[in-house]
Amino acid sequence: MADTLSRRSLFAAGAAVVAATAIQADEKKAEPKSPFKFCLNTSTIRIGEGQWGKPRPITESIDIASKAGYSAIEPWIQELDEYTKGGGTLKDLGKRFADAGLAVPDAIGFAEWLVSDDDRRKKGLETAKRDMDKVLAVGGKCIAAPPVGATAGGSRRDDPKFTEPVSAVVAAERYRVLLDLGKSMGITPLVEVWGHSASLGKLGETLLAAMECGAEGGAVLPDVYHLYKGGSNFNGLKLMSGSAIGIFHVNDYPKIERGKIVDQDRVYPGDGVAPLKEVFATLKAIGYAGYLSLELFNRDYWKQDPHEVAKTGLTKLKEAVG
């Protein structure tokens, strides 16, 4: 009798395991595989203090991104510096990223590599080298290279804030110097589109800088908000190849004129009027299969629970991708 009951219990348990496995398999089949990977830019979960918010400790951001389900995180150099100032090492931080299952495909730096002033540009390249060292130490692959300092601060030449725009051809020459520096270190600097820049405010200008630098390995960093802000037509993405994009910043924006919209107006994907469906279809068509990094600066989100913001952002990003 005991043996019979034991065998029955064993068979029942085995059947339950088989059924559970079948259900899990069906669930995996039901969930379509995305052509992209998902990353959290830490600006999305800052602490709401001041115009640009206060960076959250990077250890907190790691926990938030991991629990929300992202496979990567895009930190800012400032956050890496704050970690080491607190006594930590970049090697340890790199281990924290890895242990949390988070890749570091890119980091946000602000070296003045493009400015026309020779001394400032020299110092900018020194800053870029230090920043690349930090990214390499935590296991990163790329670093953003926005046109810092090459934005037209004033509208008139006699305005002390006026900055002479840098042509895309000259930008290509200066990007070559930055790219060679990065390649010697194992890091790829990504020319970033900044819609408010008088130098690299459009996708075409940014792509030209990478194309005409005369070296292999360069890439660009497009951003949905900045493409709109700078007046680039999203159809321009169709003329690119997936390998030309190092990482792609995703956000949405409400119906506000280009001249009036600001970074803080960015909203979750799907909550605005950006043609995201077309953008993602284009990225897939040109063979881009890299990271979509959610980058927001919304002050209302900064006031909310960062875990909920991160989870909501990922859910809406996946829904927008479809």
Side-chain angles (χ1 to χ4, degrees):
M1 176 74 72
D3 286 345
T4 301
L5 290 175
S6 177
R7 286 195 295 272
R8 287 177 180 173
S9 299
L10 182 61
F11 291 149
V17 171
V18 172
T21 303
I23 291 173
Q24 291 174 0
D26 287 341
E27 289 176 347
K28 289 181 180 180
K29 289 179 181 178
E31 183 179 344
K33 184 178 180 181
S34 171
F36 312 112
K37 294 173 284 188
F38 303 103
C39 177
L40 178 67
N41 185 298
T42 54
S43 68
T44 303
I45 52 172
R46 287 192 168 197
I47 300 170
E49 295 181 9
Q51 180 181 3
W52 294 104
K54 177 184 176 182
R56 189 174 297 279
I58 190 61
T59 51
E60 290 184 19
S61 296
I62 290 172
D63 181 61
I64 292 168
S66 178
K67 287 182 177 178
Y70 292 87
S71 59
I73 190 170
E74 190 177 20
W76 290 44
I77 295 298
Q78 179 186 6
E79 295 162 350
L80 305 186
D81 291 340
E82 289 297 323
Y83 182 79
T84 55
K85 286 179 183 177
T89 67
L90 293 178
K91 182 178 180 181
D92 174 63
L93 184 58
K95 186 175 185 303
R96 284 176 176 264
F97 286 130
D99 289 346
L102 296 172
V104 185
D106 183 51
I108 306 299
F110 295 98
E112 290 188 324
W113 62 276
L114 185 58
V115 295
S116 294
D117 182 277
D118 290 341
D119 289 336
R120 282 176 61 189
R121 194 167 67 256
K122 181 180 178 181
K123 291 179 181 178
L125 289 172
E126 292 171 354
T127 298
K129 185 178 186 303
R130 290 194 296 271
D131 290 348
M132 289 178 188
D133 268 329
K134 297 168 187 175
V135 175
L136 191 64
V138 298
K141 303 295 183 183
C142 301
I143 188 168
V148 179
T151 56
S155 59
R156 294 172 39 175
R157 290 182 179 276
D158 57 355
D159 186 328
K161 293 183 179 180
F162 182 83
T163 303
E164 186 72 39
V166 178
S167 73
V169 174
V170 173
E173 297 171 356
R174 294 174 185 171
Y175 177 56
R176 170 63 183 267
V177 176
L178 182 68
L179 181 61
D180 285 345
L181 174 62
K183 289 170 69 175
S184 71
M185 301 172 66
I187 296 291
T188 301
L190 307 175
V191 192
E192 185 173 4
V193 182
W194 262 15
H196 58 273
S197 173
S199 301
L200 298 178
K202 289 183 177 294
L203 176 62
E205 295 170 332
T206 308
L207 187 58
L208 189 149
M211 290 177 65
E212 297 297 333
C213 74
E216 295 182 359
V220 300
L221 196 171
D223 179 299
V224 173
Y225 162 81
H226 280 297
L227 292 177
Y228 172 71
K229 175 69 175 178
S232 292
N233 192 303
F234 288 98
N235 283 325
L237 292 169
K238 297 178 181 178
L239 299 178
M240 299 178 64
S241 68
S243 61
I245 300 174
I247 193 170
F248 196 94
H249 283 177
V250 178
N251 34 66
D252 208 334
Y253 50 81
K255 194 173 182 179
I256 301 176
E257 294 177 16
R258 285 190 174 92
K260 296 181 179 180
I261 198 167
V262 295
D263 283 285
Q264 288 79 5
D265 291 321
R266 304 183 192 201
V267 294
Y268 291 125
D271 286 2
V273 297
L276 294 182
K277 182 178 180 181
E278 291 78 6
V279 168
F280 296 140
T282 297
L283 291 178
K284 183 178 179 180
I286 65 175
Y288 179 69
Y291 288 97
L292 300 179
S293 184
L294 182 68
E295 187 186 52
L296 307 175
F297 295 89
N298 193 298
R299 296 174 188 171
D300 289 335
Y301 300 164
W302 288 345
K303 298 175 184 177
Q304 300 170 21
D305 181 346
H307 287 275
E308 288 302 316
V309 171
K311 286 193 292 185
T312 300
L314 181 57
T315 297
K316 288 183 174 288
L317 178 54
K318 288 184 175 180
E319 289 175 350
V321 168

